[in-house]
Amino acid sequence: MPTWKIGDITVSQILEMPLEPGELDGLIEEATPDAVRAIEWLHPHYANEAGQTLWSLHAFVVETPEARVLVDAGCGNHKNLPLIPNWGGLHNPFLERLADAGYRPEDIDYVLATHLHLDHVGWNTVLDDGLWRPTFPNARYTYVRDEFDYHRGLAEGESTTSDLSHAVVYEGANPDIHVQTRLVFAESIQPCLDAGLVDLVESDHEVTPGVRYASTPGHTKAHHSVRLESGGEVGVVTGDFIHHPIQLARPAWSSRGDWDRELSATSRTSFLESAAGTETLVLGTHFSGPAGGHVVPDGEAFRFAPIQGS
Ligand SMILES: [Zn+2]
């Protein structure tokens, strides 16, 4: 899998699984096949000739001179995911791919999550003899407190936003966010809490030199991207505030899965304006094809200029 350099930092992309072409069509409702085909630079990496959008599930390992940091932990294997049934019960060789990139689970010092959705915390744990245990025994699982508290509230059923049927793109899905969040906590988060491996931090927290959380709310209440800085160079792991590269061309198009679509668009637009025309390496958490690239001004909006990792 590809790697990119940001000063002394190396970022490796670790594939969990590519998604079927068009699997998430409808998640961004304005992105009809005609609308997708009209944005020519999306082809071939981010959309196919039929105007279906292409997506990927992957993680990034950020290696600095001081630490190895896993940013977003995918869906995991064997998980119970009634909200997105296609992503539950997986058997992907993610840890083998991590090993191929040079990392054993015990090498990881920090596990971060841009947000606590099911496809960002799954590899937190593995099923071991019928019990969930932390995958990364030496890691500090470091989460933004507001994001953690919001999802813990959902797990405890305190929120009134219990139904995600407007955002469901999979047949047979159970849109009850309380049910899904309780399962995510039970399978992927509580075992790390029980092992004493979780640290809750404030927004903008520097996790280790050169790696910090940066607030990009809207997809979830306290969604954070991860900002990387070394030797005057800058990188940003997006998380889901940029869900698909099409949102560079159409920053106002939010995802039906966003907690606050307007806030998501505001976060996205202000980031894109600040990154456009700079050397900031954008690393897209669900971008298919080359996941890294630059934001380039393009008419009234932007396009993604991919950089093939080495
Ligand atoms: Zn996601």
Side-chain angles (χ1 to χ4, degrees):
M1 290 301 289
T3 63
W4 295 267
K5 293 288 279 184
I6 298 152
D8 290 337
I9 294 175
T10 303
V11 181
S12 301
Q13 183 183 359
I14 315 292
L15 179 69
E16 181 169 44
M17 62 176 187
L19 300 182
E20 292 296 317
E23 185 171 336
L24 290 179
D25 279 1
L27 191 60
I28 298 171
E29 45 191 357
E30 297 93 336
T32 61
D34 283 346
V36 171
R37 276 194 300 259
I39 303 165
E40 288 173 14
W41 60 263
L42 290 174
H43 182 266
H45 298 307
Y46 310 111
N48 64 17
E49 280 172 342
Q52 295 174 299
T53 54
L54 307 177
W55 303 65
S56 164
L57 295 176
H58 52 253
F60 293 106
V61 176
V62 173
E63 179 162 355
T64 77
E66 284 89 13
R68 287 153 299 262
V69 183
L70 182 75
V71 181
D72 284 335
C75 293
N77 278 354
H78 313 293
K79 300 279 163 139
N80 213 329
L81 304 181
L83 185 64
I84 307 185
N86 299 36
W87 299 357
L90 298 175
H91 299 85
N92 283 313
F94 177 79
L95 295 180
E96 287 80 350
R97 292 183 187 130
L98 189 68
D100 289 345
Y103 303 102
R104 301 167 303 163
E106 51 270 43
D107 296 332
I108 300 297
D109 300 301
Y110 297 94
V111 177
L112 309 186
T114 57
H115 61 298
L116 297 191
H117 277 168
L118 60 91
D119 55 320
H120 297 259
V121 295
W123 279 104
N124 277 7
T125 57
V126 287
L127 195 57
D128 183 3
D129 220 1
L131 290 175
W132 295 104
R133 67 164 171 80
T135 310
F136 308 103
N138 301 319
R140 301 307 303 174
Y141 290 71
T142 306
Y143 299 133
V144 174
R145 183 184 304 278
D146 288 348
E147 179 69 7
F148 183 91
D149 286 347
Y150 173 69
H151 288 273
R152 185 163 52 188
L154 286 176
E156 291 168 357
E158 287 171 3
S159 168
T160 53
T161 56
S162 62
D163 183 68
L164 271 181
S165 47
H166 61 283
V168 163
V169 296
Y170 291 96
E171 263 183 59
N174 177 351
D176 188 324
I177 191 65
H178 297 311
V179 168
Q180 182 60 77
T181 308
R182 267 196 284 282
L183 285 164
V184 167
F185 259 73
E187 296 183 344
S188 300
I189 293 175
Q190 192 65 42
C192 303
L193 286 166
D194 292 344
L197 300 180
V198 175
D199 294 319
L200 299 181
V201 300
E202 303 310 312
S203 185
D204 298 327
H205 175 77
E206 186 174 53
V207 175
T208 186
V211 181
R212 71 166 66 239
Y213 275 117
S215 177
T216 45
H219 180 66
T220 59
K221 189 169 186 188
H223 183 282
H224 281 68
S225 302
V226 176
R227 186 177 170 89
L228 312 173
E229 285 186 45
S230 174
E233 297 180 19
V234 175
V236 173
V237 178
T238 59
D240 290 4
F241 93 110
I242 304 176
H243 229 169
H244 188 278
I246 198 170
Q247 292 172 310
L248 274 68
R250 306 286 186 267
W253 289 4
S254 287
S255 159
R256 287 194 295 163
D258 287 347
W259 171 75
D260 182 331
R261 293 163 66 161
E262 226 169 281
L263 184 58
S264 166
T266 301
S267 291
R268 193 162 45 248
T269 303
S270 76
F271 170 75
L272 292 171
E273 285 171 352
S274 72
T278 73
E279 295 293 303
T280 297
L281 179 69
V282 174
L283 295 154
T285 298
H286 288 304
F287 290 13
S288 62
H294 292 148
V295 178
V296 177
D298 187 15
E300 290 185 356
F302 313 95
R303 67 182 166 82
F304 192 55
I307 298 171
Q308 299 278 0
S310 51

